Amino acid sequence: MVARGAGWKVGTHVDALVSSDEVVASRPAPYLIFHTMEATGVDDVRKVLVAGDTPNDLLAGTRAGAAHVVGVLSGAHPSEELECSPHTHIMSTVTEIMSLRA
């Protein structure tokens, strides 16, 4: 996992780290999201924002029932591809996500 390889530590840099080898099936299944919710004590998927740069990221967020499913265009896939996937928002960069705060 990139985050672990970068030396990120739970409790210091992030609230939880969950990788695909810790769940039964990876994206587009929703298990990574659900496992992360368990690890962070979130019990309401309507409080979850899922952001990703692949169609599988967006499909996983939708299948999980996340309140916000954000496609980010600064990653691997072009806007045409992400816009065809289920989503609530498409944003140019991850920094724009902060505009969704309530």
Side-chain angles (χ1 to χ4, degrees), residues 18-99:
V18 179
S19 64
S20 60
D21 62 344
E22 297 175 60
V23 294
V24 175
S26 189
R27 300 161 301 131
Y31 305 128
L32 284 165
I33 298 162
F34 294 151
H35 193 76
T36 304
M37 289 174 62
E38 289 175 332
T40 56
V42 174
D43 62 3
D44 186 349
V45 74
R46 296 171 299 177
K47 295 179 180 178
V48 172
L49 182 147
V50 173
D53 65 348
T54 71
N56 276 345
D57 294 331
L58 303 183
L59 189 52
T62 299
R63 288 180 175 176
H68 299 286
V69 179
V70 181
V72 180
L73 299 177
S74 57
H77 293 270
S79 61
E80 299 80 25
E81 205 168 324
L82 292 183
E83 288 170 1
C84 290
S85 300
H87 63 276
T88 60
H89 302 81
I90 299 289
M91 298 187 163
S92 297
T93 66
V94 294
T95 57
E96 292 179 41
I97 292 172
M98 295 306 290
S99 68

